[in-house]
Amino acid sequence: MTEKTDVIVIGGGYAGVMAANRLTQRDDVHVTLINPRPAFVERIRLHQLVGGSDDALVDYQSILAGGVELAVDTVTQIDAAGRRVILVSGGALDYDYLVYAVGSGSGDPSVSGAAEYAYPISTLEQARRLQPVVDAAPASAALTVVGAGPTGLETASELAEQGRTVTLVCGKVLGPYLHPRARRSVARRLAKLGVTVLEGDGATVTGVTADAVQLSDGRELHSDVTIWTAGFSVPDLATRSGLSTDSLGRLLTDETLTSVDDVRIIAAGDSGAPSDLPVRMSCQSAMQLGPQAAETVLNRIAGREPAGFDVGFFGECISLGRRAGVVQYAKRDDTPTGVFHLGNRSMAMLKEGVCKSTIWQLRQEARRPGKLDLWFKDRRRRKVLQAKAAKAPADAGRPA
């Protein structure tokens, strides 16, 4: 009997599932996907869960390849020297290679009272905690959404479309990623939905109480329910396990997505920092990084040198309620262009199509691993890396 190579994938999100499925190309590889939940969470639909239009869940059996073993558990520590992971259930699993795809979550808000009184929605559990609170609030209740990135825009629109009284506190600017032209169009759509938009130097949240949000210019807004969508963080598993990370706790890797500490640990998705130059945390990048992390593992098993990764972006697709949306196009280096489309039913349908396409890609990779190559080259990243490499020898000889 041929001895199998054991590969563990930690994290069953977009990157983790793509990696696990891609690894099944080889019959002599045994893949174990470790995830704390028994179902896949469509994170890009969590605002819909809060609004009641979707449960944001997909059965793993429909998106995982038959050769992937799902272990519903949580990794508490990676023992890199012993090549094993310690589980919260009390057990341990050995590995030959490990794919680190733990994803990201809400940033720990440093604002006074935010942790106690505001509701984050970056995980299934957080969204489920918020949903009954919103449902129980009277129709006239004041709902405040803090943060005007994609999640904030989608959440505010979703709730306002249901007739809720919503205030969106943006900080300095509404939709900081958007091109100014697209931003103005989104602002008009929010106004049509009745969302009160607060932006500018004085629209930064400095405190949250049980029934109010305090702003940096001294204003205090009545808020029956405060929803926090500002900022992201990553789990501290790599840090706790003694692996090298960046300042946010993302696993430091080279351009093949391999840990700078251990050739048998490979990162995929939001929790990695290749060359200390991480790509934007997003579903777009996760869907590209997952299979490439798997390719690094497969190449090492085959005795081949892994290739450097490539990730490119097409832009941002944001729902503005169930009946409208906006598509902001970008260069592959994620720089927004002035080209965008904002519309009613057609854009809402396009956004829904994008959400469904991610699940389609996961299923395709499960059925035909290795057939989908959907990543794009970011030439600007290559130039930045070349500049860093050219500068490094000069810096190395300088006194500290």
Side-chain angles (χ1 to χ4, degrees):
M1 176 181 265
T2 303
E3 185 176 347
K4 291 207 170 188
T5 300
D6 289 310
V7 183
I8 287 176
V9 179
I10 307 178
Y14 298 99
V17 172
M18 287 294 281
N21 287 340
R22 177 62 63 102
L23 286 163
T24 62
Q25 285 183 94
R26 290 182 64 117
D27 294 335
D28 59 349
V29 173
H30 177 254
V31 184
T32 302
L33 177 67
I34 304 175
N35 192 68
R37 306 174 192 89
F40 177 82
V41 177
E42 286 192 88
R43 185 168 171 179
I44 56 179
R45 290 192 188 272
L46 287 177
H47 64 286
Q48 289 184 249
L49 190 158
V50 173
S53 64
D54 200 284
D55 65 5
L57 293 176
V58 175
D59 188 342
Y60 269 123
Q61 289 188 347
S62 72
I63 59 172
L64 280 180
V68 178
E69 179 182 352
L70 175 64
V72 181
D73 213 323
T74 300
V75 176
T76 60
Q77 187 176 7
I78 300 168
D79 177 5
R83 288 191 208 161
R84 64 175 188 159
V85 295
I86 312 302
L87 304 174
V88 74
S89 61
L93 291 176
D94 296 327
Y95 66 83
D96 294 301
Y97 289 93
L98 175 72
V99 177
Y100 187 78
V102 297
S104 60
S106 298
D108 186 17
S110 58
V111 172
S112 174
E116 294 83 3
Y117 301 112
Y119 293 85
I121 61 167
S122 66
T123 68
L124 177 67
E125 292 75 17
Q126 290 169 345
R128 281 179 168 174
R129 173 174 168 249
L130 173 59
Q131 183 187 25
V133 174
V134 172
D135 288 346
S140 60
L143 309 184
T144 304
V145 177
V146 179
T151 303
L153 294 175
E154 292 188 327
T155 304
S157 301
E158 193 85 15
L159 296 173
E161 193 176 66
Q162 297 175 2
R164 293 287 189 171
T165 303
V166 180
T167 297
L168 179 62
V169 181
C170 305
K172 289 189 176 181
V173 64
L174 168 73
Y177 172 80
L178 296 173
H179 186 276
R181 290 177 57 225
R183 185 177 300 123
R184 289 192 292 270
S185 294
V186 170
R188 286 193 292 269
R189 171 62 185 172
L190 291 173
K192 186 175 181 179
L193 288 171
V195 177
T196 299
V197 176
L198 302 180
E199 58 180 330
D201 292 335
T204 300
V205 175
T206 58
V208 180
T209 67
D211 60 1
V213 170
Q214 297 155 351
L215 302 183
S216 55
D217 62 4
R219 284 178 290 176
E220 183 168 288
L221 311 174
H222 174 67
S223 180
D224 295 300
V225 181
T226 301
I227 303 169
W228 197 272
T229 71
F232 286 94
S233 65
V234 298
D236 64 350
L237 177 59
T239 304
R240 285 189 284 109
S241 300
L243 298 168
S244 296
T245 63
D246 69 1
S247 59
L248 291 181
R250 292 174 289 208
L251 184 69
L252 286 175
T253 77
D254 62 16
E255 285 296 291
T256 70
L257 304 176
T258 303
S259 165
V260 297
D261 303 310
D262 193 321
V263 73
R264 292 180 179 267
I265 299 177
I266 294 89
D270 293 352
S271 52
S275 302
D276 203 13
L277 191 68
V279 298
R280 176 165 61 87
M281 295 180 180
S282 69
C283 174
Q284 276 184 80
S285 56
M287 295 291 287
Q288 297 174 71
L289 289 166
Q292 291 181 87
E295 289 293 343
T296 290
V297 174
L298 293 171
N299 278 313
R300 288 236 160 81
I301 293 172
R304 298 189 297 264
E305 186 66 26
F309 82 96
D310 282 304
V311 165
F313 294 85
F314 77 85
E316 194 83 58
C317 191
I318 302 170
S319 65
L320 298 172
R322 295 297 86 210
R323 296 187 291 273
V326 62
V327 177
Q328 163 69 69
Y329 294 100
K331 299 177 182 177
R332 289 184 176 178
D333 65 6
D334 208 23
T335 302
T337 69
V339 180
F340 72 97
H341 295 291
L342 185 145
N344 294 328
R345 189 61 183 168
S346 61
M347 289 299 105
M349 291 174 65
L350 177 59
K351 169 65 177 182
E352 178 63 19
V354 169
C355 292
K356 288 181 177 179
S357 74
T358 61
I359 302 303
W360 178 85
Q361 290 175 56
L362 297 177
R363 288 176 176 151
Q364 287 295 108
E365 191 64 42
R367 293 168 184 160
R368 303 174 65 200
K371 298 300 181 183
L372 290 178
D373 291 330
L374 300 176
W375 46 90
F376 308 99
K377 293 184 178 180
D378 172 7
R379 294 176 181 172
R380 182 171 177 270
R381 177 185 175 84
R382 297 291 169 218
K383 291 179 180 178
V384 172
L385 288 170
Q386 290 169 2
K388 285 181 68 175
K391 185 179 179 183
D395 288 345
R398 294 177 186 172

